[in-house]
Amino acid sequence: MSAQKRQLHLGLFLFSTGYHPAGWRLPEAVTDGAFDPKFLHRVARRLEEAKFDFFFLGDALASSADMQYQFPSQMVRLEPFTMIANIAAVTEKIGLIVTANTTYAEPYHIARLTASLDYLSSGRVAWNVVTGADTRAALNFSREKHWDNTKRYDYADEFVQVVKDLWDSWEDDAFVRDKAGGVFVDESKVHKINHAGEHFSVAGPLNVARPPQGQIPLLSAGTSERSQELGAQFSNAIFTGQIHIAGAKQFYSGIKSKMAKYGRDPGELSILPGLVPLVGRTEEEARAKYRELNELLVTDFNLAPLSARIGIDLSGYSLDGPLPDLELSTLPVGAAKDLVTLAQRASGREDITVRELFHYFSATCRGHLLIVGNPEQIADQIEEWFVQEAADGFNICPPYMPGGLDLFIDLVVPELQRRGLFRTEYEGSTFREHFGLSRPDNRFAKRAVLQTAAE
């Protein structure tokens, strides 16, 4: 598939105080945006003006004050369904992604909530399917412990299938609304799903008509084998953390190759790595902001996670001394060098210190690629990943808000448009249309047609 035939996709992964752990401490940063409707509206409208594909809100079902110096915007935030409904009311075209955790929910509830949001947004909603990695969540839902990975994904597989069946339980033309004849609904086009599985027993039908998009697009994340299988079977987009193009290309081709066994075309799924663009009008301006953020980082300089990441015990090294010989790493060849190379690029120097490597690691430890540079440099790397099929687009995670987002929109997006990589106008008005996805047939109606043909 050539780059000319593909459409680069861009969305915002909202961290209200920015992705960088110190983003909230910048003088110009907004610190209370997570609970300010005006701030959230401004962000969503800016994205829509820039023709972004989507506005994405993650979610967590547990919190703790010990997160405050790591990722404060993740510590507490608004409930996603409520917030996305509010955003839908002040936007017209941009896609809206809501996160719902299958481990702590019921399929009927999620089917009803998502279908309702699809109506309220005129077909702009997508569901980010998560199983939850935070073990603390169990204690908030009357459970003694969090399920293991296998059980969570077994549960999720069945959960998603039940939701998809419920969305189809009303055929598109089930509502006759014939005033003269006194017929409101054609009962033959309303279906119980009568699901009886290992985890769920759901009769149906749903008490919301079939969503405007027919089937609401599904998204997922994660790199485990089970999460990849769920993505290959159900997802229309996968969020992933990749910091090296070689690994990203391998992940991209691996996921796409899994789709055939589920009868799906690779074009039905977009791979969207996270990208942290630290943009400056000049390269030096970007690097100065990077240094400013790092100087504001609140940390005890616990080197254990970084030591594990590069395979070298750094506890005996001076923070402001040179890095140890990477040949000392106990990890496979190149594992330590890859991270060091990225940190060197961000700093603009090869002779970085242990402290500077720690700063880069702290800003990217959730696995998303941090790029520091001017608009052309940022666009160059986006284009490289897109053309080489390491990504179909990116989940943008500005390092601080709202300035980091504004610079990306004002400087990088026009450069991508100039190169013909990104749209200048929306071609559709639904989430499915933004991603070139057709509206699927209703499975119950399709089954009836096949049965009639067979008779």
Side-chain angles (χ1 to χ4, degrees):
M1 184 182 295
S2 68
Q4 288 74 24
K5 293 181 180 179
R6 294 164 65 219
Q7 167 71 63
L8 177 72
H9 299 292
L10 293 177
L12 174 75
F13 188 1
L14 180 67
F15 293 82
S16 62
T17 59
Y19 184 85
H20 194 287
W24 67 279
R25 298 192 68 202
L26 290 172
E28 69 269 31
V30 172
T31 58
D32 62 352
F35 305 103
D36 182 357
K38 292 182 180 178
F39 172 84
L40 298 170
H41 294 171
R42 176 192 182 278
V43 169
R45 286 167 173 155
R46 282 240 67 194
L47 296 172
E48 191 164 75
E49 290 167 1
K51 315 306 177 188
F52 269 49
D53 292 85
F54 60 82
F55 175 107
F56 168 37
L57 181 66
D59 193 29
L61 298 179
S63 185
S64 174
D66 63 12
M67 298 169 61
Q68 64 175 319
Y69 297 128
Q70 299 171 346
F71 306 109
S73 62
Q74 297 297 89
M75 188 168 63
V76 284
R77 52 190 166 184
L78 296 177
E79 188 280 320
F81 282 88
T82 309
M83 176 177 162
I84 289 298
N86 182 269
I87 297 297
V90 298
T91 54
E92 296 180 353
K93 293 290 185 69
I94 190 165
L96 303 168
I97 300 175
V98 64
T99 296
N101 188 320
T102 56
T103 304
Y104 300 102
E106 285 288 332
Y108 196 91
H109 282 147
I110 299 304
R112 189 182 186 203
L113 286 165
T114 49
S116 298
L117 278 180
D118 209 38
Y119 276 99
L120 293 174
S121 66
S122 300
R124 293 186 285 130
V125 163
W127 170 28
N128 177 40
V129 181
V130 301
T131 67
D134 191 338
T135 58
R136 297 172 302 180
L139 302 180
N140 293 333
F141 290 86
S142 305
R143 296 184 189 175
E144 294 183 358
K145 65 178 182 178
H146 191 57
W147 293 341
D148 63 30
N149 191 68
T150 298
K151 184 171 183 178
R152 294 201 317 273
Y153 275 98
D154 287 346
Y155 197 81
D157 286 345
E158 186 178 344
F159 191 115
V160 170
Q161 190 57 64
V162 173
V163 171
K164 290 173 68 68
D165 286 345
L166 286 169
W167 285 334
D168 270 357
S169 58
W170 293 76
E171 294 184 33
D172 290 318
D173 55 353
F175 287 93
V176 179
R177 299 185 177 96
D178 179 3
K179 292 183 179 180
V183 178
F184 193 77
V185 172
D186 181 344
E187 295 181 8
S188 70
K189 297 185 177 183
V190 183
H191 305 275
K192 287 187 175 182
I193 66 169
N194 291 323
H195 177 90
E198 181 179 354
H199 304 287
F200 304 107
S201 177
V202 182
L206 192 62
N207 62 347
V208 180
R210 194 179 192 225
Q213 295 183 94
Q215 286 285 306
I216 292 170
L218 301 179
L219 301 93
S220 59
T223 57
S224 71
E225 186 61 30
R226 284 301 303 272
S227 67
Q228 290 186 47
E229 288 296 333
L230 185 143
Q233 182 176 5
F234 293 118
S235 295
N236 299 112
I238 289 180
F239 298 138
T240 180
Q242 305 287 338
I243 62 174
H244 308 295
I245 191 169
K249 290 171 67 174
Q250 183 176 7
F251 180 83
Y252 183 104
S253 60
I255 286 284
K256 300 268 185 171
S257 67
K258 294 176 184 294
M259 298 177 68
K261 64 183 176 182
Y262 298 109
R264 302 184 65 202
D265 184 276
E268 297 176 45
L269 174 64
S270 295
I271 308 298
L272 307 171
L275 176 64
V276 187
L278 211 166
V279 187
R281 291 173 179 81
T282 65
E283 182 177 348
E284 180 48 42
E285 182 181 291
R287 298 201 192 286
K289 182 61 72 174
Y290 178 61
R291 291 192 294 271
E292 182 181 5
L293 282 165
N294 290 338
E295 289 167 1
L296 293 171
L297 187 67
V298 179
T299 178
D300 59 1
F301 285 101
N302 176 11
L303 296 174
L306 175 57
S307 296
R309 171 63 180 80
I310 66 172
I312 301 174
D313 183 1
L314 296 172
S315 60
Y317 292 86
S318 169
L319 281 173
D320 294 311
L323 298 178
D325 186 345
L326 299 183
E327 296 296 325
L328 298 173
S329 176
T330 59
L331 297 178
V333 176
K337 187 175 186 302
D338 287 342
L339 181 67
V340 170
T341 298
L342 289 171
Q344 290 169 331
R345 289 177 184 171
S347 299
R349 304 186 341 272
E350 291 191 7
D351 58 337
I352 63 172
T353 64
V354 173
R355 184 189 302 272
E356 288 170 315
L357 181 61
F358 177 85
H359 282 155
Y360 185 85
F361 176 72
S362 297
T364 63
C365 65
R366 281 174 291 181
H368 297 318
L369 175 64
L370 169 66
I371 306 176
V372 180
N374 62 39
E376 291 75 19
Q377 291 169 321
I378 304 291
D380 284 346
Q381 292 203 49
I382 290 175
E383 182 172 16
E384 179 185 16
W385 282 52
F386 179 66
V387 170
Q388 293 195 26
E389 295 191 344
D392 293 307
F394 292 90
N395 210 4
I396 303 300
C397 311
Y400 59 99
M401 289 289 287
L405 175 62
D406 290 336
L407 285 170
F408 184 84
I409 287 175
D410 293 339
L411 302 178
V412 179
V413 169
E415 178 63 21
L416 295 172
Q417 292 170 331
R418 186 187 67 77
R419 300 182 187 196
L421 296 171
F422 189 62
R423 66 168 70 85
T424 56
E425 292 294 340
Y426 287 113
E427 296 179 359
S429 60
T430 70
F431 195 103
R432 299 190 74 89
E433 288 170 342
H434 295 339
F435 279 80
L437 302 170
S438 60
R439 188 178 188 275
D441 294 333
N442 183 295
R443 68 195 62 199
F444 291 103
K446 187 176 181 179
R447 187 181 304 166
V449 169
L450 292 175
Q451 288 175 345
T452 301
E455 293 171 357

